[in-house]
Amino acid sequence: MPTPHQSRADRRRATEARILDSARGLFAAKGFERTTIRAVAAAASVDPALVMQYFGSKRELFTQAVQAFPAPLTTTDTDALVDQLLSSLGPKLGGLPEGTLVMMRSMLTDQAAADHVRAALGRQIDSIGAALPPSEDPELRAALVITTLLGVTIGHQLLSLASLRDAPSDRIAALLRPAIKALAGPPG
Amino acid sequence: MPTPHQSRADRRRATEARILDSARGLFAAKGFERTTIRAVAAAASVDPALVMQYFGSKRELFTQAVQAFPAPLTTTDTDALVDQLLSSLGPKLGGLPEGTLVMMRSMLTDQAAADHVRAALGRQIDSIGAALPPSEDPELRAALVITTLLGVTIGHQLLSLASLRDAPSDRIAALLRPAIKALAGPPG
DNA sequence: CCATTCGTTCAACACTTGTTGACCCACTCA
DNA sequence: TGAGTGGGTCAACAAGTGTTGAACGAATGG
């Protein structure tokens, strides 16, 4: 049912966006391997061949669906840094962009996704490590901060652990804050 | 080259064990989907059909390769509990059984693995929640403790983040301890 | 020493996957 | 109105998957 008052170019952009959305949803839910071009096409009410024509390959579709992992943060104030990190967990429910979930879902079973995540987390770790109060191993502390948040996010968003799903996210943040601060370094 | 002084039954058990080992290694490295029966068979220097005859199906092979997720812990002393949890991260390098890594590798992309992990973590959370000092949300605190350790383990064992790979694991444990205690509850 | 078990292999099936090239037809535009 | 662009579909291929049934051949046991 073609929406009226829409130019051919508009329709094309719309179709392309619809495909990309379906892909993101499926990749986020099932990962790279288990998401099939045919399923994406069906979800977008389109022929599989069209997906190929627009995106070239399944891999290319994946990278377009992912876009970017969160950019590294920079703050010199530890408290502000912690707040910023915690807010990325989701002010309400599922606060991080779907493209990020797509990456996380596939990072344990797809080489390309793993490389991407390793690099992105590495950048975050460096940037946080530099912002932490002086201590013996700022980079290791930063890595532990990041992996802690990673674990909580996985349990919450990807595994849907009941205890986390049912908890208000500001409560989660409140409980997490002292732990993150403890990891970050010497009080003060 | 058949080892002499080995009965037919012995050889059969040896072959079966060799297949299971190859399977565990591949499942742990690449996950359920990307591990093929043919690859397992090749790694065990055996025909693919033999794998089927011994294990029935790829799924069955997987569950046999996994065996059990860590059993829930029970201790009433918080400090001892924390120590026990930290030691599961690996006294030296990679302290947890390969079967556990197999599960973790596939939990984000395989429904059965996800269910298994959810259940196992749920049990751990319950058990830890009951052992925690009285507070408002013992179960939520327990969930955060577990997911924190999960995240660090993933970063360390499955993603091989450089900052974690290069760190002595007792240093990791030392940095983690205060954070876990902060999550566990009120000091005392 | 022969019949038989049984560990093991061979060859094939049925199916799904990513990917491709030919084709159709509604819309644009001159 | 009539040619032509281009969004979209159809049908098929080649490769790889889990899985199966028949067959082989060395060790066994009577």
Side-chain angles (χ1 to χ4, degrees), chain A residues 105 108 118 137 159 171, chain B residues 105 108 118 137 159 171:
Chain A
R105 174 75 73 188
L108 298 185
R118 231 189 321 267
D137 296 328
L159 284 177
R171 178 82 181 129
Chain B
R105 174 74 74 188
L108 299 186
R118 232 190 319 268
D137 296 328
L159 285 178
R171 177 80 182 130

Side-chain angles (χ1 to χ4, degrees), chain B residues 4-182:
Chain B
H5 308 306
Q6 213 179 36
S7 77
R8 196 132 79 141
D10 283 343
R11 265 193 70 70
R12 174 188 164 135
R13 271 188 292 270
T15 310
E16 192 167 328
R18 194 155 27 97
I19 294 176
L20 201 58
D21 269 9
S22 307
R24 233 191 307 269
L26 286 173
F27 279 137
K30 316 173 57 133
F32 181 80
E33 287 274 340
R34 295 191 54 118
T35 296
T36 123
I37 295 276
R38 282 169 167 84
V40 170
S45 307
V46 122
D47 191 275
L50 195 63
V51 178
M52 298 303 295
Q53 189 170 6
Y54 285 176
F55 295 92
S57 72
K58 183 184 179 182
R59 186 104 253 158
E60 185 61 26
L61 175 62
F62 182 75
T63 72
Q64 298 246 2
V66 163
Q67 288 171 351
F69 220 67
L73 317 170
T74 24
T75 321
T76 45
D77 177 25
T78 303
D79 281 21
L81 188 88
V82 171
D83 286 345
Q84 213 169 338
L85 286 170
L86 286 175
S87 75
S88 76
L89 275 189
K92 297 173 186 163
L93 279 136
L96 49 187
E98 203 175 14
T100 304
L101 289 182
V102 170
M103 277 295 8
M104 288 180 59
R105 174 74 74 188
S106 296
M107 73 184 170
L108 299 186
T109 39
D110 184 82
Q111 184 68 53
D115 291 346
H116 192 122
V117 170
R118 232 190 319 268
L121 292 186
R123 281 192 297 274
Q124 288 231 32
I125 288 172
D126 288 350
S127 126
I128 293 179
L132 251 32
S135 73
E136 204 173 330
D137 296 328
E139 188 180 311
L140 178 54
R141 301 185 102 105
L144 292 174
V145 168
I146 286 294
T147 51
T148 292
L149 295 174
L150 181 72
V152 174
T153 304
I154 289 176
H156 190 190
Q157 312 278 345
L158 301 184
L159 285 178
S160 295
L161 294 181
S163 330
L164 292 182
R165 195 178 1 93
D166 300 341
S169 55
D170 52 354
R171 177 80 182 130
I172 295 182
L175 288 178
L176 233 29
R177 185 172 290 107
I180 302 290
K181 283 190 171 178

Side-chain angles (χ1 to χ4, degrees), chain A residues 7-162:
Chain A
S7 76
R8 198 133 78 140
D10 283 344
R11 260 193 76 68
R12 157 155 190 163
R13 270 189 292 270
T15 310
E16 193 167 326
R18 193 155 29 96
I19 293 175
L20 201 58
D21 270 10
S22 306
R24 233 191 307 271
L26 286 172
F27 279 137
K30 315 173 60 130
F32 180 81
E33 286 276 339
R34 296 191 53 118
T35 296
T36 116
I37 295 275
R38 283 168 167 85
V40 171
S45 307
V46 122
D47 190 276
L50 196 62
V51 178
M52 297 304 294
Q53 191 171 354
Y54 286 176
F55 295 91
S57 73
K58 183 185 180 183
R59 187 102 255 157
E60 184 61 27
L61 175 61
F62 182 75
T63 72
Q64 298 246 1
V66 162
Q67 287 170 353
F69 220 68
L73 319 169
T74 26
T75 321
T76 45
D77 177 26
T78 304
D79 282 20
L81 188 89
V82 171
D83 285 345
Q84 213 170 337
L85 286 171
L86 286 174
S87 74
S88 76
L89 275 188
K92 296 172 185 163
L93 279 137
L96 53 186
E98 203 176 16
T100 304
L101 289 182
V102 169
M103 279 290 14
M104 289 182 57
R105 174 75 73 188
S106 296
M107 73 186 171
L108 298 185
T109 39
D110 184 81
Q111 185 68 54
D115 291 346
H116 192 125
V117 170
R118 231 189 321 267
L121 292 186
R123 281 191 296 274
Q124 289 229 30
I125 289 171
D126 288 348
S127 124
I128 293 179
L132 250 34
S135 74
E136 203 173 330
D137 296 328
E139 187 180 312
L140 179 54
R141 301 186 102 105
L144 291 175
V145 168
I146 287 295
T147 50
T148 294
L149 295 174
L150 180 72
V152 174
T153 303
I154 289 175
H156 190 190
Q157 312 277 343
L158 300 184
L159 284 177
S160 295
L161 294 182

